[in-house]
Amino acid sequence: MPVLETNQLTKAFGDFNALNGVNIEVNQGEVFGFIGPNGAGKSTTIRILLGLMKASSGSASIFGRDTWKDAVEIHKRLAYVPGDVNLWPNLTGGEVIDLFGKLRGGIARERRDELIERFKLDPAKKCRTYSKGNRQKVALVAAFAADADLYILDEPTSGLDPLMERIFQECVMEARSEGKSVLLSSHILSEVERLCDRVGIIREGAIIESGTLADLRHLTRTQFVIETKQPIEGLPSLPGVHDVVEKDRSYTFQVDSEHVEKVMPHISKYGVVKLESAPPTLEDLFMRHYEGESVEAGGES
Ligand SMILES: Nc1ncnc2c1ncn2[C@@H]1O[C@H](COP(=O)(O)OP(=O)(O)O)[C@@H](O)[C@H]1O
Ligand SMILES: [Mg+2]
């Protein structure tokens, strides 16, 4: 049984359908990347999962329980970090972390202190003086100090610098290695790519692709810059080759990842003197998904 599951989840705000049948599944010990641009419906899905909002139709369950009816039970084993953290202005960061801990029935002191140290948070300052990044850190420390079974993280690193982003990634990896499950939403694909076992791509309230990164590989392209001794013949017409730009025997182009194997032997015949390649990114996959396509707004559920 999956730890978290939604089935044909819809949500209407007036006559606007924010969710049009979202199906996602997070299994135990898995980091699931919930990816989509702003306004795609990530936070709406997450609010329903947290029991903060009732779905218009469809179902959502966590630990096998209904997210609306059994929210109290579910929350005992769940930690949540939003992208925009609001804290009590008059409490210090440390007090807020302890308060969250008490609400959960206590946190391990050592773990709390270790996380404060790693995230380089000054816990003695009043929350009202914290920057967005520091408020984010307070929420992350509180979440990772909690011994939850499921972490729901809704764009949790907006406002963190790259060094702290790294610490965040380590925390997610550690949680996974302890068999915990993570739902990580993001519109920044590169951060998710490295962390996630599986991803679901949401667009206009519906999942348009999901699977492991290997599953999605047939949708990705690898970027090449290659210099050869002799001019490469027929490069633009090879299967899977795109956007060839040639300048003084230096060729910049993309190859569908599944065709790289066939394209390379052809090129090597012309005496390769320089080769650079950039790995396929989800960003690129995503951009091509979005360009030129338009799902009709509204639509039935
Ligand atoms: N309470 C609300 N009332 C009306 N529209 C909303 C509400 N919450 C979200 N929306 C709309 O639903 C869509 C999805 O929003 P959201 O789930 O926040 O997207 P994401 O988190 O992926 O950026 C957006 O068009 C947003 O404007
Ligand atoms: Mg959001």
Side-chain angles (χ1 to χ4, degrees):
M1 189 183 64
V3 168
L4 178 159
E5 191 174 20
T6 72
N7 199 340
Q8 290 301 318
L9 207 59
T10 77
K11 180 70 191 179
F13 296 113
D15 56 12
F16 172 69
N17 294 318
L19 303 183
N20 296 301
V22 171
N23 297 309
I24 56 173
E25 200 179 286
V26 182
N27 298 305
Q28 205 223 308
E30 176 176 81
V31 180
F32 180 83
F34 192 31
I35 306 169
N38 291 328
K42 302 181 297 296
S43 296
T44 302
T45 304
I46 286 171
R47 279 187 206 110
I48 293 169
L49 288 167
L50 294 170
L52 298 173
M53 199 180 252
K54 201 165 190 279
S56 301
S57 70
S59 65
S61 67
I62 291 178
F63 309 131
R65 291 165 181 266
D66 184 273
T67 56
W68 180 249
K69 291 189 202 119
D70 303 327
V72 174
E73 279 304 307
I74 290 170
H75 277 261
K76 291 179 184 163
R77 298 169 56 194
L78 181 155
Y80 164 60
V81 178
D84 202 356
V85 174
N86 288 305
L87 302 168
W88 294 271
N90 279 325
L91 297 185
T92 67
E95 287 168 341
V96 168
I97 292 164
D98 293 341
L99 179 59
F100 277 124
K102 269 189 209 134
L103 292 173
R104 308 189 62 92
I107 50 172
R109 197 79 199 166
E110 255 173 49
R111 173 72 174 151
R112 168 204 186 269
D113 294 345
E114 176 213 316
L115 286 163
I116 286 175
E117 174 82 35
R118 282 167 78 187
F119 278 106
K120 307 224 179 312
L121 175 72
D122 179 352
K125 286 198 173 139
K126 298 268 194 211
C127 289
R128 93 163 77 79
T129 69
Y130 281 141
S131 63
K132 178 175 162 54
N134 279 319
R135 292 198 302 273
Q136 221 55 43
K137 290 180 186 181
V138 170
L140 287 167
V141 169
F144 287 117
D147 191 23
D149 293 319
L150 172 66
Y151 293 83
I152 294 187
L153 310 172
D154 190 6
E155 311 221 27
T157 56
S158 49
L160 288 193
D161 59 54
L163 222 61
M164 291 302 126
E165 170 97 33
R166 194 62 164 271
I167 305 292
F168 164 78
Q169 292 176 353
E170 286 173 16
C171 288
V172 170
M173 300 298 206
E174 285 165 18
R176 177 176 52 188
S177 70
E178 289 163 16
K180 295 165 174 193
S181 314
V182 181
L183 173 73
L184 171 61
S185 95
S186 183
H187 69 280
I188 303 162
L189 300 139
S190 53
E191 87 181 12
V192 161
E193 222 171 358
R194 231 168 306 144
L195 282 175
C196 297
D197 301 297
R198 283 190 318 120
V199 300
I201 298 179
I202 183 170
R203 179 191 183 198
E204 295 179 14
I207 300 291
I208 52 169
E209 290 287 345
S210 66
T212 63
L213 291 177
D215 291 338
L216 301 187
R217 210 172 122 75
H218 70 282
L219 300 166
T220 65
R221 287 179 189 172
T222 306
Q223 170 90 30
F224 286 97
V225 180
I226 289 181
E227 241 177 84
T228 49
K229 283 186 201 141
Q230 288 102 40
I232 305 176
E233 282 163 32
L235 183 60
S237 54
L238 290 179
V241 173
H242 306 270
D243 304 334
V244 179
V245 176
E246 188 203 335
K247 202 178 164 236
D248 307 328
R249 233 158 275 169
S250 168
Y251 301 82
T252 304
F253 56 98
Q254 295 176 5
V255 183
D256 293 340
S257 297
E258 56 187 355
H259 282 107
V260 169
E261 213 181 9
K262 290 199 192 99
V263 171
M264 294 318 285
H266 178 87
I267 288 168
S268 65
K269 289 187 278 189
Y270 300 93
V272 174
V273 289
K274 185 182 124 188
L275 186 151
E276 287 169 19
S277 84
T281 63
L282 276 177
E283 187 82 59
D284 163 60
L285 176 165
F286 207 59
M287 293 309 288
R288 275 181 294 115
H289 248 295
Y290 281 72
E291 72 197 18
E293 278 179 44
S294 176
V295 171
E296 270 174 61
E300 76 279 23
S301 53

